[in-house]
Amino acid sequence: MTRFGRALRFAVRGVALLIALTFLAARAERVGADEPIEIFDAHLHYNWEPKPYYSVDEVLALLKKHRVTGILATSRPNTGTHALMEAKPAGLKVVPFIRPYRVRADIQTWFGDPFIFELVQDEFKRGYYRGIGEFHISGRNAETEWVKKTVDFAVANDLYLHAHADDIAVEILMRHNPRARIIWAHTGFGLSTDRVAEMLAKYPKLWGELSYRGGIVDGSGKLTAEWRALFERYPDRFLLGSDTWINERWQTYGETMAGYRAWLAQLPPKIAAQIANGNAKTLFGSER
Ligand SMILES: [Zn+2]
């Protein structure tokens, strides 16, 4: 090839590269103008047993990357929540909840364990907590005096409860103290939407958090008619969550958020914004 030929080919490549870069820049601008909907993650565990999966900085970067601007934070033990609070991250609202567990095994026994009630009271002295949970309770296990004491303590101190519970246990919690305010982790998992609707109607201070909740979309990712109807009927009663209870949930954090955004996009924008972040902002808006 002649020197002229080489120079020409070089110039052509340069122009092609410029065109490609211009195109990419234009596309990036369009993406920027149409940012993904802001999400409040109302079920985040930053477990610390004895070391977290991600450092605080890595967690904050991950949340920022996926446009998560608020978190309901809990940790086993509570060390992880302390670390998030101490970080005072810019652009992220951290809403700390007291986890009533020291180790994983406490899940099975906390409701009959006076030591746990002491732990809750002790932890509360930090002054910044907004709730107690996530705790696990099923059926009549909710009837113990330690559960009642926990519910009463929450009501007396203006704390929410974050309960991974079946509908029977939720009803017992509400009976312990009708002034309880409960965030219902997983919203009953596979419980029928009729029953969920009945619970929401009966308890105005009950909010459904939707991690691991089945039936919201069909096999092709389309929002199901029954869930659309429920969201339209109770737009102010649902929250989203990642439930990072195991490392795998951290690894797939972006997919979880993308999954939420995919069905939120099928709702009227006002309702989508309420579920994505507005309801959480209403619940946790005021500072302690
Ligand atoms: Zn959880």
Side-chain angles (χ1 to χ4, degrees):
M1 191 183 284
T2 64
R3 185 185 287 179
F4 176 73
R6 272 202 299 273
L8 184 67
R9 201 167 67 176
F10 187 73
V12 167
R13 274 198 198 147
V15 169
L17 185 69
L18 257 180
I19 291 171
L21 283 175
T22 310
F23 175 75
L24 278 175
R27 203 169 74 164
E29 231 165 74
R30 270 207 309 281
V31 170
D34 189 19
E35 271 194 286
I37 193 167
E38 185 186 328
I39 286 180
F40 186 106
D41 180 348
H43 191 149
L44 184 135
H45 301 295
Y46 187 41
N47 289 337
W48 199 281
E49 304 179 304
K51 238 167 59 94
Y53 179 68
Y54 280 143
S55 70
V56 170
D57 285 347
E58 285 168 330
V59 167
L60 298 180
L62 182 74
L63 298 176
K64 193 167 183 181
K65 180 176 171 199
H66 296 292
R67 209 162 180 245
V68 171
T69 55
I71 53 173
L72 187 168
T74 81
S75 164
R76 187 181 61 231
N78 287 290
T79 320
T81 304
H82 306 160
L84 289 171
M85 288 303 286
E86 278 150 28
K88 295 192 173 44
L92 178 75
K93 185 171 176 68
V94 182
V95 178
F97 271 42
I98 302 169
R99 196 108 213 254
Y101 304 149
R102 298 152 296 180
V103 292
R104 186 160 165 77
D106 286 334
I107 289 178
Q108 309 289 340
T109 52
W110 74 275
F111 45 85
D113 186 347
F115 181 85
I116 295 294
F117 186 58
E118 260 175 53
L119 179 158
V120 168
Q121 289 169 291
D122 244 27
E123 199 55 39
F124 178 71
K125 290 180 190 143
R126 286 181 177 262
Y128 50 53
Y129 284 105
R130 303 297 308 274
I132 302 170
E134 178 202 23
F135 57 77
H136 300 67
I137 197 82
S138 109
R140 296 189 55 190
N141 282 343
E143 280 175 350
T144 71
E145 68 169 303
W146 299 107
V147 174
K148 163 126 177 85
K149 280 190 208 294
T150 305
V151 177
D152 286 340
F153 183 81
V155 170
N157 292 290
D158 201 20
L159 298 170
Y160 292 92
L161 295 166
H162 190 200
H164 172 135
D166 54 18
D167 52 331
I168 297 166
V170 170
E171 298 228 64
I172 295 169
L173 296 173
M174 289 293 193
R175 217 183 301 142
H176 281 322
N177 193 323
R179 286 167 57 217
R181 293 178 301 166
I182 300 178
I183 294 165
W184 192 7
H186 318 297
T187 318
F189 289 99
L191 192 69
S192 76
T193 45
D194 283 350
R195 179 67 177 135
V196 172
E198 193 179 284
M199 293 288 284
L200 293 175
K202 188 169 174 188
Y203 303 109
K205 298 293 175 199
L206 178 67
W207 294 268
E209 180 275 315
L210 297 168
S211 58
Y212 287 103
R213 173 61 232 201
I216 298 175
V217 291
D218 66 16
S220 66
K222 189 169 171 281
L223 192 62
T224 58
E226 50 182 9
W227 274 92
R228 176 183 295 279
L230 200 55
F231 289 145
E232 284 173 355
R233 188 164 157 207
Y234 294 107
D236 55 346
R237 305 289 292 283
F238 291 100
L239 306 164
L240 305 179
S242 61
D243 193 7
T244 46
W245 67 289
I246 44 170
N247 295 341
E248 188 255 332
R249 297 289 286 183
W250 281 114
Q251 291 154 10
T252 55
Y253 193 89
E255 288 153 45
T256 306
M257 293 302 136
Y260 282 135
R261 287 189 172 106
W263 61 252
L264 286 169
Q266 299 170 48
L267 284 167
K270 186 168 178 283
I271 297 179
Q274 279 177 288
I275 297 171
N277 61 71
N279 295 337
K281 285 179 182 167
T282 305
L283 292 187
F284 308 122
S286 59
E287 297 297 329
R288 280 199 84 82

